[in-house]
Amino acid sequence: MEKPPVQPYMILFIGVLSISTSAIFVKLAGDAPAAMIAFYRLAIAVGIMAPYVLWKHFDEIKQTNKKDWVLAILSGVFLAFHFILWFESLDYTTVASSVVLVALQPVFAFMGTYLFFKERFTMGAILSLVITLTGSVIIGWGDFQISGTALFGDLLALLGAITVTGYFLLGQNLRKRQSIMTYTFIAYGMAAATLLLYNLTLGYSFTGYDRNQWLIFLGLAIIPTFFGHTLFNWTLKWLSTSTISMAVLVEPIGASILAYWILDEVITWTQWLGGSIVIFGLMMFILSTMKKVKPKFTHETDRR
């Protein structure tokens, strides 16, 4: 095997740390609407990608058929609403609860493959699903004790996990025929267009943000998107998808630590307990399903 130019595990660590910043950036954006934060994150990312993709992959984009354009548009819509729901959840609940619940995406993805592709559940998968559900209930119960709005935020985070699953399943189909750069560029572009229409409909202002907020929009486009997503895709050449999927489970821990240091968010005992149970259940889930389903990890990292 070709020797990697850089230690892949070091790159993997940088990727995990990068995606852990996403929720922190959103919290720091202050009073900017969630949909506007999401729009600028994707619009800036598309703008950065455009010169390279249009230079190297323009012919591939031109060859995209009508069916794939429809799938790409739907994929972008799901991604847009994933960001709206997840970013909105951070206005109501803590980073710890939100990020852990969004991390349930692989579970919803497997349920989707069961419904649409008739994949069978192993006993290990069923047990891990019960464990993750238990952990989620503990988080929700603890947040409800704090306030009803915190529980509402948890529900938004779960809906965010479900919508990114739609993006994941559609992308899994498209990726069979498109390169990662072409797929990502089109999906991000469709999501940005959806968010543009959404913000126009709600009458949100596209201007009037301070310097720090513009820097946050830029930071979201670069750090979790490129230093997370892109680096994960690079490591796929050297590391297994299961190794990378396991590494992503560190994100809730990294995000919670950053939230404690930067935002002074205190993690409650129910969040510690429920979050630990969820992460353990997801580890079991990945281990029990990796032989049945080879996860297309690139779509999981797209949302971060």
Side-chain angles (χ1 to χ4, degrees), residues 56-173:
K56 287 286 189 179
H57 299 273
F58 185 68
D59 288 340
E60 185 181 357
I61 293 172
K62 285 198 305 182
Q63 292 168 7
T64 302
N65 59 43
K66 290 182 180 180
K67 178 184 176 182
D68 284 350
W69 273 112
V70 171
L71 291 175
I73 290 170
L74 289 174
S75 176
V77 170
F78 274 111
L79 181 61
F81 279 94
H82 157 70
F83 277 127
I84 292 170
L85 291 163
W86 181 39
F87 288 3
E88 195 73 45
S89 77
L90 291 163
D91 287 335
Y92 298 95
T93 192
T94 63
V95 168
S97 292
S98 179
V99 176
V100 166
L101 293 172
V102 168
L104 290 171
Q105 181 271 335
V107 173
F108 289 116
F110 194 76
M111 294 172 109
T113 61
Y114 173 77
L115 291 173
F116 298 109
F117 304 114
K118 305 304 180 184
E119 290 284 353
R120 292 188 178 183
F121 283 89
T122 64
M123 286 304 298
I126 293 172
L127 178 60
S128 61
L129 288 174
V130 172
I131 291 172
T132 54
L133 179 61
T134 302
S136 303
V137 170
I138 291 173
I139 292 172
W141 176 79
D143 285 352
F144 181 69
Q145 304 304 306
I146 298 172
S147 71
T149 56
L151 181 61
F152 178 65
D154 293 346
L155 293 174
L156 289 176
L158 280 173
L159 289 173
I162 293 171
T163 48
V164 82
T165 300
Y167 166 70
F168 169 84
L169 293 174
L170 288 166
Q172 190 175 40
N173 187 299

Side-chain angles (χ1 to χ4, degrees), residues 209-222:
Y209 302 106
D210 60 36
R211 178 175 174 273
N212 288 337
Q213 288 173 314
W214 285 113
L215 288 174
I216 286 167
F217 299 156
L218 179 62
L220 274 167
I222 293 175

Side-chain angles (χ1 to χ4, degrees), residues 27-71:
K27 282 278 195 178
L28 291 173
D31 58 356
M36 193 59 67
I37 298 170
F39 167 72
Y40 277 118
R41 172 181 177 167
L42 290 172
I44 293 171
V46 169
I48 293 171
M49 294 172 67
Y52 175 80
V53 174
L54 294 177
W55 175 44
K56 287 286 189 179
H57 299 273
F58 185 68
D59 288 340
E60 185 181 357
I61 293 172
K62 285 198 305 182
Q63 292 168 7
T64 302
N65 59 43
K66 290 182 180 180
K67 178 184 176 182
D68 284 350
W69 273 112
V70 171
L71 291 175

Side-chain angles (χ1 to χ4, degrees), residues 5 26-27 33 91 153 156 165 193 233 236 256 259 261 264 266 283 291 293 298 303:
V26 174
K27 282 278 195 178
D91 287 335
L156 289 176
T165 300
N233 278 299
L236 279 171
S256 298
W261 284 344
D264 294 323
V266 178
M283 289 176 65
K291 293 181 180 179
V293 180
T298 50
R303 68 175 177 83

